[in-house]
Amino acid sequence: MLLSFGFDLNKRDVNNANLKYLWFLACLYHDIGYVYEETHSCENLREVREKGLIALREICGIKYCEHDEFRTYEKRVVNLYLKNRAKCTDKGIGKMDHGIVGGLMLYDRLRKNWQKTKRRK
């Protein structure tokens, strides 16, 4: 049994997933978020500056992004951060935050897969 920070990395949950698998998914989607950060368009940045999370939903095709999903920060704080991060300044062009985009995409894809599986039963 390998323990890290008190987690048993090999223990599986009721869905037969372990922490290593879940961590892999989180890292994968975090990295997928880089595509949106690095290949942004001025139009997309303008939308994020104006609409925040609503724009990210539209740009990234995210369906599931409800107000109760943010437990650490209020939705308005996340919106403020995204809008400010997308601003272009004298020091450089704005960006979409890859970590937030990746996290939203991971949650969205998991929910979509769950809905699809639920409909099959």
Side-chain angles (χ1 to χ4, degrees):
M1 176 167 71
L2 176 62
L3 294 177
S4 178
F5 298 108
F7 294 106
D8 182 346
L9 299 179
N10 295 309
K11 183 178 179 183
R12 298 190 177 270
D13 65 11
V14 294
N15 297 312
N16 202 29
N18 64 18
L19 182 64
K20 288 188 268 186
Y21 173 70
L22 299 173
W23 189 255
F24 163 77
L25 285 178
C27 292
L28 174 66
Y29 274 89
H30 183 266
D31 290 348
I32 287 172
Y34 273 116
V35 171
Y36 290 92
E37 185 169 313
E38 297 300 322
T39 60
H40 58 272
S41 70
C42 289
E43 182 180 329
N44 286 349
L45 288 175
R46 206 172 6 263
E47 285 184 52
V48 172
R49 281 193 312 268
E50 292 172 12
K51 301 182 201 172
L53 280 166
I54 293 170
L56 283 184
R57 289 178 72 172
E58 295 167 3
I59 293 165
C60 303
I62 295 170
K63 178 179 178 180
Y64 297 102
C65 181
E66 297 143 14
H67 69 281
D68 59 349
E69 292 173 17
F70 301 100
R71 303 213 189 278
T72 309
Y73 299 99
E74 294 177 22
K75 188 173 182 175
R76 68 172 185 79
V77 173
V78 174
N79 265 322
L80 181 63
Y81 171 77
L82 290 172
K83 289 176 180 182
N84 282 315
R85 185 92 201 294
K87 283 183 183 175
C88 297
T89 65
D90 294 337
K91 296 178 183 174
I93 195 161
K95 297 209 180 257
M96 285 189 255
D97 188 280
H98 68 276
I100 293 175
V101 169
L104 292 172
M105 290 178 70
L106 172 59
Y107 180 79
D108 183 66
R109 297 315 185 272
L110 290 171
R111 284 280 307 266
K112 286 175 181 172
N113 286 340
W114 181 78
Q115 291 290 342
K116 188 175 172 182
T117 302
K118 186 178 171 185
R119 282 192 298 270
R120 284 190 212 152
K121 291 183 178 184

